[in-house]
Amino acid sequence: MRDIRLDFFRGMAMFIILFAHTPGNFLTSWIPARWGFSDATEMFVFCSGMASAIAFGRTFDRAGLALGSVRVGYRIWQVYWAHVGLFFATAALLVFLTDLPFTDRNYWGQMNLWMLFVEHQEDLWANPNILFSFMTLQWVPNLFDILPMYMVILAMMPVFYALARVHLGLVAAVSIALWFMGQRAFTEALGLPYFNFTAEPWVGDDEWQRRWFLNPFGWQLAFFTGFAFMRGWIPKPPVNALLIGLTAFIVIANIPLSNIGVREFGFEWAREWRVENRQLISKTDFGILRYVQFLSLAYLAWVIAGDGGDRIRAGAGWIGRNIWAPLLTVFLKVGQQSLAVFVVSIFIARFNGFAMDMLGRDVAMTLLVNAFGCAVLIATAYAASYFKTQPWRVKPK
């Protein structure tokens, strides 16, 4: 049985990710990420953990560890080819847009694909090993890091499930240990190895080597927190005034230290604080303050949603029936088809950036282009849902 809260917040995250990945989009300046340390990535990863607990947990319980691992492997296989297809489709789009006679921008250059394409050479491929590096996830291009991170975390799931059969304390201990080993500043200070993958294998000097922007060893903490809540490994938190007040305080106190606090409220001291404490708010390694702030937001959202998401469901009034009910249906559909929608969102975000380059970035045009992107995501969700029903199958009479 699907959880309405899970699908609703995943759907919300998909639209935010579209806005955030659209170049030159002024809406990006006001998305929730600008008000705190965490952003839609936490929503996506946390909710993916919860969804995985529903999707794969029953398989592990019913079919055992071996077949549960096989199903996880099949999902990784699907995500891998989604990643490959997304990259080549986006690269083709950027090359096409760059070569249009009325454009004067190098769109694939803006995506830092110089190592893939080299201008003024008969041989388009700059590095004969570049495709092998990409296909083996050794080269993770900019903006194409979330699906590789997701694949690595999925591969951890059978291990964590096996640990849970021994003792749930082992799950927590291993998750925290992996998170700590994925904190670069901490490990370097202690002389410990830093757990993360290299993103550009042709760079031999480790000092200059770029790492995966989303470190799976750090981000697994968010994923398995959601997984543990949905599996019942972590009990539901109580709903009381003390906890609501504490989490609300954390969220509000975070605002002066946020992008909005520096940019709009002029808290220049916060800019210096962010630099001095960048490891605590690191998006790459999933800094601890991002985790604390996100859990506070998640708790407040969980309280507001109500038991079983009752407060999310459409009411009986005119607004509930005619405005909220259709919107809710769309959010749920997008959340239910998050992988397909996410893949399309990255592609369409680059096109939307190009569209605004051509048409302008005044308020009306920006809203129109964003509305077009949202419509594409909604159409993708409904199309994916339709194909999953396999309508071509003839039902027996």
Side-chain angles (χ1 to χ4, degrees), residues 77-333:
W77 180 250
Q78 291 176 312
V79 175
Y80 172 78
W81 287 110
H83 169 67
V84 171
L86 169 62
F87 173 73
F88 283 112
T90 305
L93 172 69
L94 298 179
V95 170
F96 172 76
L97 297 178
T98 300
D99 288 344
L100 289 174
F102 50 84
T103 59
D104 58 359
R105 299 193 182 192
N106 187 331
Y107 289 99
W108 55 259
Q110 291 176 355
M111 283 286 290
N112 195 29
L113 298 181
W114 298 94
M115 63 286 293
L116 182 62
F117 302 116
V118 174
E119 295 177 301
H120 311 303
Q121 284 191 3
E122 293 180 4
D123 183 9
L124 187 62
W125 302 105
N127 185 337
N129 296 319
I130 193 72
L131 290 181
F132 179 79
S133 297
F134 172 75
M135 298 298 287
T136 55
L137 303 183
Q138 296 178 75
W139 174 42
V140 179
N142 295 343
L143 253 161
F144 294 93
D145 33 50
I146 193 165
L147 293 183
M149 175 266 288
Y150 183 44
M151 283 184 269
V152 174
I153 294 176
L154 283 176
M156 297 179 186
M157 194 189 307
V159 177
F160 276 77
Y161 197 85
L163 291 173
R165 288 185 169 185
V166 179
H167 196 282
L168 289 178
L170 284 174
V171 176
V174 171
S175 182
I176 292 171
L178 287 175
W179 173 85
F180 183 84
M181 297 303 293
Q183 306 302 301
R184 187 164 195 167
F186 298 163
T187 55
E188 288 182 349
L190 296 172
L192 298 172
Y194 170 54
F195 285 12
N196 196 357
F197 298 108
T198 56
E200 295 176 347
W202 51 84
V203 179
D205 188 346
D206 187 67
E207 188 70 23
W208 293 93
Q209 175 64 258
R210 185 170 66 85
R211 309 285 176 152
W212 284 20
F213 180 69
L214 296 176
N215 184 350
F217 298 101
W219 280 89
Q220 55 78 28
L221 182 63
F223 180 93
F224 286 111
T225 299
F227 189 95
F229 271 120
M230 189 57 74
R231 288 293 293 169
W233 296 351
I234 301 176
K236 294 179 181 179
V239 178
N240 56 50
L242 177 62
L243 201 50
I244 292 173
L246 176 61
T247 52
F249 172 78
I250 291 173
V251 171
I252 294 171
N254 184 218
I255 294 176
L257 300 172
S258 68
N259 177 277
I260 290 288
V262 174
R263 190 184 77 227
E264 299 297 329
F265 300 150
F267 297 132
E268 287 300 320
W269 57 270
R271 189 190 306 276
E272 183 178 346
W273 182 92
R274 289 173 67 92
V275 172
E276 292 176 350
N277 297 276
R278 56 182 175 273
Q279 183 63 53
L280 301 179
I281 59 176
S282 168
K283 183 168 185 175
T284 291
D285 295 335
F286 190 50
I288 188 63
L289 292 186
R290 295 181 69 96
Y291 185 57
V292 171
Q293 195 255 357
F294 172 73
L295 286 183
S296 300
L297 274 175
Y299 174 78
L300 293 174
W302 179 68
V303 171
I304 292 171
D307 188 30
D310 288 341
R311 296 194 188 96
I312 295 177
R313 302 178 193 279
W318 185 89
I319 293 178
R321 291 193 308 269
N322 298 283
I323 298 178
W324 181 240
L327 285 175
L328 178 60
T329 300
V330 167
F331 273 105
L332 296 180
K333 184 65 70 174

Side-chain angles (χ1 to χ4, degrees), residues 9-75:
F9 288 112
R10 280 207 299 184
M12 182 186 298
M14 290 300 101
F15 290 113
I16 296 173
I17 287 173
L18 170 67
F19 300 151
H21 287 149
T22 302
N25 187 4
F26 81 79
L27 293 184
T28 305
S29 298
W30 300 99
I31 59 177
R34 303 296 176 254
W35 296 87
F37 298 139
S38 65
D39 58 28
T41 310
E42 277 86 355
M43 293 174 63
F44 178 80
V45 175
F46 182 81
C47 289
S48 294
M50 299 180 75
S52 295
I54 297 173
F56 302 109
R58 296 194 190 103
T59 303
F60 280 113
D61 292 340
R62 182 183 66 253
L65 183 61
L67 288 180
S69 301
V70 170
R71 187 179 176 193
V72 171
Y74 177 65
R75 184 58 171 173

